[in-house]
Amino acid sequence: MRRFAAVLLDMDGTLVDSDAAVERAWVTWAGESGVPVAELRPRMHGNPAPTTIRAVRPDLSDDGVERAAARQLELQYTDLDDVVPTPGTARLLVALKELDLPWAVVTSADRRLARARLGAAGIAPPMLVTVEETPRGKPHPDPYLAAAARLGVEPGDCLVVEDSQPGIDAGQAAGCTVAALRGLDADIRIATLADLADLLQAQP
């Protein structure tokens, strides 16, 4: 693995274990909205809420999608009881500091939710790029392109770390190298963020 100019980290499932909270919110929303949970489950992680809602409720108008997404997010804002750092997060953050390597969190969550979950997990990123800041969210490249631009580095010099296919697609479309968790296929496969810390610190 070559040396990178910056590391761009997804939040949910990558830095922060919020799977249970995300799924509880979607299950509640599905019950309220008449959407079968089985149809929704494969789409619960990785996409902005409006993207998922459009996929499962194509009958909704743009205003209807906006209202549905607002309701789904409302269910998540205060559900933080079991939101914790993922395994290896502390190790990776120490390594990034020791290497003096710039990093940012790039998430499909909005700023309020991102700050709530990162705060619950005790993580204070130097830069946060949320869904409000780009015209298109993941799987489009816009969020990662925006993060690279704000850091003043070329996308091709960035390492993206993701745990979902939409995020991997976004990182690759931006021209970044992508490290994937959860056994997903990307340029680099890692089991935990501690593995990534070891790889970064092993570079000459």
Side-chain angles (χ1 to χ4, degrees), residues 69-145:
R71 170 57 181 158
Q72 201 277 340
L73 286 170
E74 181 184 345
L75 292 166
Q76 298 188 52
Y77 286 139
T78 58
D79 189 351
L80 302 170
D81 290 344
D82 51 4
V83 173
V84 295
T86 57
T89 289
R91 171 82 178 83
L92 176 62
L93 297 186
V94 168
L96 293 174
K97 184 175 181 179
E98 290 175 349
L99 294 167
D100 196 24
L101 191 56
W103 63 282
V105 171
V106 183
T107 177
S108 294
D110 67 11
R111 186 160 290 270
R112 176 182 170 186
L113 182 59
R115 284 177 169 167
R117 284 194 177 146
L118 290 166
I123 299 169
M127 180 183 294
L128 176 60
V129 177
T130 62
V131 71
E132 300 102 326
E133 296 172 47
T134 58
R136 301 180 301 177
K138 303 172 188 178
H140 299 288
D142 306 39
Y144 285 117
L145 293 174

Side-chain angles (χ1 to χ4, degrees), residues 6-12 14 46 104-108 127 129-130 133-134 136-156 158-179:
V7 177
L8 309 178
L9 294 138
D10 173 56
M11 182 181 72
D12 291 311
T14 298
V105 171
V106 183
T107 177
S108 294
M127 180 183 294
V129 177
T130 62
E133 296 172 47
T134 58
R136 301 180 301 177
K138 303 172 188 178
H140 299 288
D142 306 39
Y144 285 117
L145 293 174
R150 285 176 57 182
L151 287 171
V153 299
E154 292 296 323
C158 293
L159 176 64
V160 162
V161 188
E162 275 283 356
D163 76 309
S164 71
Q165 194 60 52
I168 291 169
D169 293 343
Q172 291 179 333
C176 305
T177 299
V178 180

Side-chain angles (χ1 to χ4, degrees), residues 7-94:
V7 177
L8 309 178
L9 294 138
D10 173 56
M11 182 181 72
D12 291 311
T14 298
L15 274 179
V16 174
D17 182 355
S18 56
D19 284 2
V22 170
E23 291 172 13
R24 283 193 298 269
W26 277 118
V27 167
T28 299
W29 179 87
E32 294 175 353
S33 305
V35 175
V37 173
E39 180 182 347
L40 184 61
R41 194 169 298 282
R43 306 174 185 273
M44 286 182 176
H45 301 283
N47 290 304
T51 301
T52 297
I53 290 165
R54 284 191 178 94
V56 298
R57 288 291 308 273
D59 57 302
L60 292 178
S61 65
D62 288 347
D63 286 346
V65 169
E66 185 175 338
R67 288 193 298 272
R71 170 57 181 158
Q72 201 277 340
L73 286 170
E74 181 184 345
L75 292 166
Q76 298 188 52
Y77 286 139
T78 58
D79 189 351
L80 302 170
D81 290 344
D82 51 4
V83 173
V84 295
T86 57
T89 289
R91 171 82 178 83
L92 176 62
L93 297 186
V94 168

